[in-house]
Amino acid sequence: MNKFTLLQKIRNKIRVSSGVKLSIAKGAKLVNCDIRIEGKDCSLVVEEGTVIRSIQIEILGDGSKIIIGKNCIIGHDSYISAKEGKHLTIGNDCMFSRNVKIMTSDGHLVFQGEEVINQAKDILIGNHVWLADNVTILKGVTVGEGSVIGINSTVTKNIPKQTIAAGNPTRVVKTDILWQK
């Protein structure tokens, strides 16, 4: 469990409850980020070689977790959120452009009688995924390895591996693709 370095504390706005598990790999770069973690047994893992600049990370609610794999790039003004005890996992070698939003919950509970009807759900983004500008990934989605999501897309359903998907909501437009950074 690595704590934030002094330089990371200076370069970022960090609000973390006691008892939070942090694993920030040596060499991971977090610059000008707003990080808020509240709850028991919450955790944030950022692997080596990852560069995160000017984004907001929220981990709220007991047991909530965000894992960001190795050699990822996450662009400015993005928002990554795990709430209500859910997990958001980002694989290795991912590239997220500006203004990407990834959320395990709707942000507010909706009730029908006493039953919550908009439960939060885990999100899994595979290795080597490219999210273009203004992409939104909603709760319960898996984005398969090697996929590309087009500009201004909203992902509400699972995306197969090595696929280009675009639109609002997204639909598959190409399959069996490969891409390079």
Side-chain angles (χ1 to χ4, degrees), residues 15-17 20 36-40 42 59-62 64:
R15 293 159 292 163
V16 177
S17 318
V20 167
R36 180 175 161 218
I37 307 172
E38 293 178 11
K40 296 175 185 172
C42 292
I59 302 172
L60 306 175
D62 295 351
S64 299

Side-chain angles (χ1 to χ4, degrees), residues 6 36 42 48 52 70 157 160 180:
L6 179 60
R36 180 175 161 218
C42 292
E48 63 189 57
I52 303 172
K70 295 177 183 176
K157 295 183 179 166
Q180 293 180 341

Side-chain angles (χ1 to χ4, degrees), residues 115-129:
E115 179 186 356
V116 175
I117 60 171
N118 66 333
Q119 295 287 334
K121 297 177 183 171
D122 294 338
I123 294 174
L124 174 61
I125 298 174
N127 295 327
H128 195 64
V129 169

Side-chain angles (χ1 to χ4, degrees), residues 160-171:
K161 69 179 185 173
Q162 296 178 313
T163 297
I164 296 175
N168 187 356
T170 53
R171 65 179 184 79

Side-chain angles (χ1 to χ4, degrees), residues 37-98:
I37 307 172
E38 293 178 11
K40 296 175 185 172
D41 299 318
C42 292
S43 62
L44 172 63
V45 175
V46 181
E47 298 288 348
E48 63 189 57
T50 290
V51 178
I52 303 172
R53 295 184 190 277
S54 301
I55 77 164
Q56 183 178 1
I57 296 172
E58 281 189 327
I59 302 172
L60 306 175
D62 295 351
S64 299
K65 178 190 284 191
I66 293 177
I67 299 170
I68 303 171
K70 295 177 183 176
N71 302 313
C72 293
I73 298 169
I74 302 178
H76 291 73
D77 299 320
S78 292
Y79 173 73
I80 299 174
S81 172
K83 295 182 179 178
E84 300 178 42
K86 298 305 174 187
H87 299 177
L88 189 166
T89 304
I90 298 168
N92 298 325
D93 196 37
C94 290
M95 185 170 67
F96 298 174
S97 193
R98 295 171 296 274

